[in-house]
Amino acid sequence: MSFGVELTSSPEGHEDANNERLDLIDPTAPNWSLPSETFLRAAVTLKDQVVHATWEGGGDSGSGLRTGMVLDPTVYTGLLGTAFTCLRSYEATGNRQDLVLSAEIVDKCVTVERASTRHVTFLCGRGGVYAIGAVVANLIGDHQRRDLYLNLFLEVAQEKALSVGPEEGGFGMSYDLLHGRAGFLWAALFINKYLGQEKVPSDLLMPVVDAVLAGGRAGASDNPSCPLMYRWHGTRYLGAANGLAGILQVLLHFPLSKEDAEDVKATLRYMMANRFPHSGNYPSSEGNPRDKFVHWSHGAAGMAITLCKASQVFPGDREFRDAAIEAGEVVWKNGLLKKVGLADGVAGNAYAFLSLYRLSGETIYEGRAKAFASFLYHNGRELVTVGDAHGAEHAYSLFQGLAGTACLLFDLHMPENARFPGYEL
């Protein structure tokens, strides 16, 4: 058994120009359909490797996953992704030691997060630290610590920049999942899922939802066919990480008025209408002619997951279900990427199939997800490029490295409960 990552990656919000793909695999071929118990054993082994590399290997300081000389406390590329992986391991195995590890890692991240990040999102900011801290403390039974983290999160929720501000980032808060208001809202949804609805009360969240909708309308004022549009650093991204797919994914979890729901649906239809005609893939940003990014950050994989959610929220609109299935076909036909991560690799694309499996109940999608995961199981080491300093920084992270692969393997033990980390609930 071997696992690895291609240790070359692109900065957040920027497209990866080296998006080469491997040949399609045949999920009916021998050795591609591994037993669920094999995935679980492999997940535990890989999780242990991630913990050793990012936590234990750093000694008492837990010095893994650094950016320069500063500890990265984020879920996306940092140490908090290890805490999330330990939580996912606990949910799959019931091993309470995973919870203890997760709590210790959160404590370390808390000591550095205020100095190292200004963001309040789940994936890249304080929102994730406090949300995971509260959930893990609650599972351990430490209610005092749970309330401490919950109160810290509620303090963030009252920051004025969340509910007011300009349409674009820079002078105010952006709207995207990685760095903006959608990412904060997702952290709140995560807390409420585990601790109960209204732990983060709707009277704090709905003004932020309204601000996101208002910002989207302002950003789309010059395009009557698209009711909602956002910019990140001046670019109208369409994907999950920094663009429309991620923002709409979050909005779909909240109660929407009839007008708001129609705007969300019309925006989805606008995206569907602007697919590349020959491949069916989605552009990474509005007007971008390059049809080469088929992963979660940009392209069909992230859109498939968002369209699955839209199909659940709007069951009477068959077009969203059909488009989700079509996006899944794009992911499958484009084959395997030469990375393992959630953001732009094989693991992230496999989750598109797991979303379709939950939506449709059709076992072909479970088989496709297992085929992708089996490829990682058998051939992961071939994806490793040793010696690249920037890539090595994130080799064991959740979204750029092996921690994301571990989460996928855990989820394949019970695929009906699988959720893309930091994206699905």
Side-chain angles (χ1 to χ4, degrees):
M1 177 176 62
S2 64
F3 296 93
V5 290
E6 180 192 69
L7 300 182
T8 54
S9 59
S10 58
E12 295 167 17
H14 296 278
E15 299 155 4
D16 181 4
N18 183 26
N19 191 30
E20 299 177 63
R21 304 182 182 96
L22 301 170
D23 292 335
L24 280 171
I25 54 179
D26 179 4
T28 65
N31 298 325
W32 280 120
S33 183
L34 297 172
S36 294
E37 289 302 321
T38 300
F39 286 124
L40 183 60
R41 288 194 301 270
V44 171
T45 298
L46 189 52
K47 179 266 301 180
D48 289 342
Q49 293 173 7
V50 169
V51 169
H52 178 75
T54 63
W55 182 243
E56 295 168 350
D60 293 337
S61 64
S63 59
L65 295 178
R66 290 180 177 271
T67 302
M69 295 302 293
V70 179
L71 177 70
D72 179 354
T74 69
V75 173
Y76 192 78
T77 53
L79 188 57
L80 198 60
T82 302
F84 184 95
T85 305
C86 290
L87 173 60
R88 187 62 59 91
S89 178
Y90 166 76
E91 292 176 319
T93 67
N95 183 354
R96 287 185 62 83
Q97 182 58 31
D98 288 323
L99 286 180
V100 174
L101 273 171
S102 187
E104 291 175 355
I105 293 168
V106 170
D107 287 346
K108 179 63 181 180
C109 291
V110 167
T111 65
V112 298
E113 54 84 17
R114 288 188 184 272
S116 62
T117 179
R118 64 181 177 85
H119 302 300
V120 298
T121 61
F122 184 84
L123 293 178
C124 293
R126 286 179 282 146
V129 180
Y130 301 152
I132 295 176
V135 167
V136 170
N138 187 64
L139 290 169
I140 289 175
D142 187 344
H143 294 169
Q144 182 177 1
R145 200 158 195 79
R146 174 201 65 193
D147 293 342
L148 168 66
Y149 284 124
L150 181 58
N151 288 333
L152 286 169
F153 188 87
L154 292 174
E155 289 180 14
V156 174
Q158 296 176 53
E159 292 187 7
K160 190 174 182 180
L162 283 164
S163 56
V164 298
E167 188 269 324
E168 292 189 48
F171 297 104
M173 188 177 296
S174 65
Y175 293 93
D176 64 305
L177 185 74
L178 284 190
H179 305 107
R181 298 173 219 216
F184 162 78
L185 290 170
W186 200 93
L189 291 167
F190 180 81
I191 290 175
N192 285 345
K193 173 188 175 180
Y194 282 91
L195 302 187
Q197 294 301 316
E198 292 296 308
K199 282 295 183 181
V200 184
S202 58
D203 62 356
L204 287 177
L205 298 180
M206 291 312 296
V208 185
V209 173
D210 292 339
V212 173
L213 289 162
R217 290 180 179 121
S221 59
D222 60 345
N223 187 349
S225 63
C226 182
L228 303 173
M229 182 56 72
Y230 306 86
R231 294 177 180 86
W232 192 75
H233 287 238
T235 299
R236 295 182 174 190
Y237 285 103
L238 303 182
N242 298 111
L244 269 177
I247 296 168
L248 296 179
Q249 170 80 1
V250 173
L251 289 176
L252 286 165
H253 286 81
F254 287 92
L256 300 173
S257 69
K258 183 177 180 180
E259 178 187 3
D260 295 339
E262 289 303 318
D263 280 353
V264 167
K265 289 195 283 187
T267 302
L268 287 167
R269 293 185 185 112
Y270 172 80
M271 298 172 74
M272 291 155 53
N274 282 274
R275 287 174 285 186
F276 291 110
H278 297 295
S279 69
N281 190 30
Y282 289 78
S284 60
S285 58
E286 192 174 58
N288 192 324
R290 292 185 295 174
D291 182 7
K292 60 189 302 183
F293 304 108
V294 185
H295 43 62
W296 175 82
S297 296
H298 308 284
M303 273 302 296
I305 296 172
T306 295
L307 287 164
C308 283
K309 180 63 180 177
S311 180
Q312 294 165 351
V313 174
F314 308 121
D317 294 278
R318 177 78 188 195
E319 61 193 307
F320 299 130
R321 181 187 178 95
D322 292 343
I325 292 170
E326 291 166 7
E329 290 302 309
V330 172
V331 176
W332 180 249
K333 290 176 181 177
N334 273 270
L336 293 154
L337 303 173
K338 289 188 176 180
K339 292 185 180 181
V340 304
L342 294 176
D344 51 11
V346 177
N349 283 13
Y351 273 102
F353 303 132
L354 291 173
S355 294
L356 285 163
Y357 173 63
R358 295 199 320 273
L359 177 68
S360 68
E362 295 182 11
T363 57
I364 186 174
Y365 298 117
E366 179 187 10
R368 288 178 174 183
K370 288 184 174 180
F372 274 31
S374 297
F375 169 79
L376 294 174
Y377 179 93
H378 287 292
N379 301 286
R381 191 168 298 280
E382 296 178 12
L383 303 182
V384 174
T385 303
V386 179
D388 182 276
H390 179 73
E393 221 172 71
H394 305 312
Y396 292 92
S397 70
L398 187 63
F399 270 70
Q400 297 287 346
L402 291 174
T405 302
C407 287
L408 172 65
L409 296 174
F410 279 123
D411 276 340
L412 282 170
H413 180 57
M414 297 186 67
E416 63 276 8
N417 296 327
R419 299 292 187 276
F420 192 112
Y423 200 60
E424 295 181 288
L425 289 159

